[in-house]
Amino acid sequence: MTLTEVEEILKQIKERLTGDKKQDLKYLKGQMEAFHGHEFGGEIAKECSRLMYDLLSEEERNEAVVEMGKDRVVDIQIDEDDEEEEDAQYYSFYEFFEEIMVNEFVKPDKAVRRSEIPHADIFLNRGMDLMSEGKYEEAKESFANARKWNPVNAHIAFCYMDSLIALDQWDEVHETALTAIYYAFRPDTVAKGFAYLGRYFEHQGEKKPAAACFHIALQFEADQKEALASLKKSGIHLKEKEIKKIAEEYEFLPGPNPAILALATGLGEQLFGNQMIDGATYCYNIVYGLTGDDKVKELMEGLAKINM
């Protein structure tokens, strides 16, 4: 039987594993990065994550990876020469602003460091596999571990809520949706966060707050499926003033977190002042995505000319 291209790539990756855990973990992480953006990058990353998960001992997957009692994250040791290990907390970020948010909002007691191993990916992909197998309780645990490694990532929070919904644990869906909205800094994640919150209110029989959430979702993603379907079914249409009043009554934000906008704006100004144009553009892009502010767009266009 002829191997497909992706099967051939995965075969070659597996053949280069040495049996040395530390070396293989670094190698697999490197392969995930090397194939990022590749046609089969997602499938390769998923298999590499599974292989990395298999390399971890049961203790590392549970107690050593996430010390729940101490409410902190620790790293699996892959660099024995790191002398500052005891003075740091390790996280697994997908992008720069997540690290900024952890420092600003989570405020860990120790210095924030990026883990050498993509633990969040490992647990996220493991959880997705378990969901597909109908093992919802185990999937929830795996997603919870992913959230420990990256407490501000929206996609991880959404997957966690999917496991909660499968387990009919709606009170925790409510809490998690509020947290996801608090940390969301892209239009699509703001929209999806409000869609999950709307689903919670629907489940509770609270039609108006559900409609308010779905209206907000559509402000940030015009084709958000859950929002469109629910509003079509309920026929509830709310004005902006009504939405804000409902949000206040039910204690949820009526849009993106203002603290996120302030953080991105302030950091953008700081980076621009230090002539770090790419970094400033990255931050202003966050602000523009959430506000659609023409002044921010003009500023970004000006930065693009400087960077030419």
Side-chain angles (χ1 to χ4, degrees):
M1 182 177 72
T2 304
L3 292 176
T4 65
E5 183 180 348
V6 69
E7 287 173 336
E8 182 60 39
I9 292 170
L10 292 173
K11 179 174 177 287
Q12 291 176 14
I13 289 173
K14 291 174 184 178
E15 286 175 348
R16 294 188 176 98
L17 295 174
T18 66
D20 181 289
K21 184 175 80 172
K22 285 167 55 177
Q23 185 175 330
D24 287 346
L25 285 170
K26 284 187 175 182
Y27 168 70
L28 289 167
K29 178 177 182 286
Q31 291 302 297
M32 291 173 70
E33 293 172 349
F35 284 97
H36 180 71
H38 186 276
E39 180 183 359
F40 303 114
E43 194 168 344
I44 291 167
K46 184 176 180 179
E47 181 62 16
C48 286
S49 293
R50 187 192 66 76
L51 291 168
M52 294 173 81
Y53 184 87
D54 289 343
L55 286 170
L56 305 180
S57 69
E58 195 64 33
E59 183 181 7
E60 286 170 332
R61 293 174 188 174
N62 298 301
E63 296 175 7
V65 176
V66 182
E67 293 185 13
M68 295 288 205
K70 295 183 180 180
D71 193 28
R72 74 182 188 88
V73 180
V74 296
D75 192 31
I76 294 173
Q77 304 297 317
I78 63 169
D79 186 355
E80 295 174 351
D81 298 324
D82 190 349
E83 297 178 356
E84 297 183 349
E85 201 75 32
E86 294 298 321
D87 297 323
Q89 289 189 16
Y90 285 79
Y91 294 87
S92 183
F93 301 117
Y94 292 97
E95 57 178 297
F96 170 63
F97 199 68
E98 292 178 340
E99 184 173 351
I100 299 299
M101 287 198 297
V102 165
N103 274 302
E104 182 69 19
F105 302 128
V106 180
K107 297 184 185 296
D109 295 332
K110 297 185 178 182
V112 172
R113 296 284 185 269
R114 285 176 175 255
S115 172
E116 290 290 326
I117 305 172
H119 293 288
D121 265 338
I122 294 171
F123 286 113
L124 178 63
N125 287 320
R126 177 63 175 161
M128 290 167 68
D129 286 342
L130 290 165
M131 285 291 288
S132 67
E133 296 169 10
K135 299 176 180 177
Y136 304 128
E137 195 65 55
E138 292 175 56
K140 175 189 172 183
E141 182 180 351
S142 195
F143 291 140
N145 281 339
R147 292 187 77 204
K148 283 289 181 178
W149 282 102
N150 190 328
V152 299
N153 180 266
H155 181 61
I156 294 173
F158 299 153
C159 289
Y160 183 64
M161 283 190 280
D162 286 338
S163 70
L164 295 174
I165 290 169
L167 293 166
D168 201 31
Q169 297 177 356
W170 286 94
D171 285 346
E172 198 170 350
V173 171
H174 179 224
E175 179 184 338
T176 307
L178 293 174
T179 301
I181 291 167
Y182 185 87
Y183 290 132
F185 61 95
R186 301 290 186 197
D188 60 332
T189 56
V190 171
K192 198 163 185 178
F194 276 104
Y196 275 101
L197 187 58
R199 289 175 67 185
Y200 162 77
F201 284 122
E202 267 191 336
H203 182 266
Q204 300 300 109
E206 298 276 7
K207 293 183 179 180
K208 275 205 167 182
C213 289
F214 290 131
H215 275 292
I216 296 169
L218 292 176
Q219 291 174 19
F220 294 92
E221 189 174 17
D223 58 353
Q224 215 293 322
K225 292 180 180 178
E226 290 92 344
L228 288 171
S230 179
L231 290 175
K232 182 178 180 181
K233 183 179 179 180
S234 70
I236 298 175
H237 298 285
L238 301 169
K239 296 181 179 179
E240 186 175 350
K241 188 175 180 180
E242 293 177 286
I243 292 170
K244 288 183 177 180
K245 184 177 179 181
I246 291 169
E248 184 177 356
E249 180 182 351
Y250 286 86
E251 299 182 331
F252 61 85
L253 292 168
N257 184 358
I260 295 290
L261 291 168
L263 181 62
T265 301
L267 183 59
E269 291 171 352
Q270 180 183 337
L271 292 171
F272 177 66
N274 291 331
Q275 298 299 304
M276 300 174 72
I277 305 304
D278 287 342
T281 301
Y282 169 83
C283 292
Y284 288 133
N285 185 57
I286 291 172
V287 178
Y288 180 69
L290 296 178
T291 64
D293 190 327
D294 288 336
K295 290 183 179 179
V296 177
K297 184 180 180 181
E298 290 173 10
L299 180 57
M300 290 171 61
E301 290 171 349
L303 291 176
K305 292 178 182 177
I306 294 173
N307 218 20
M308 289 178 64

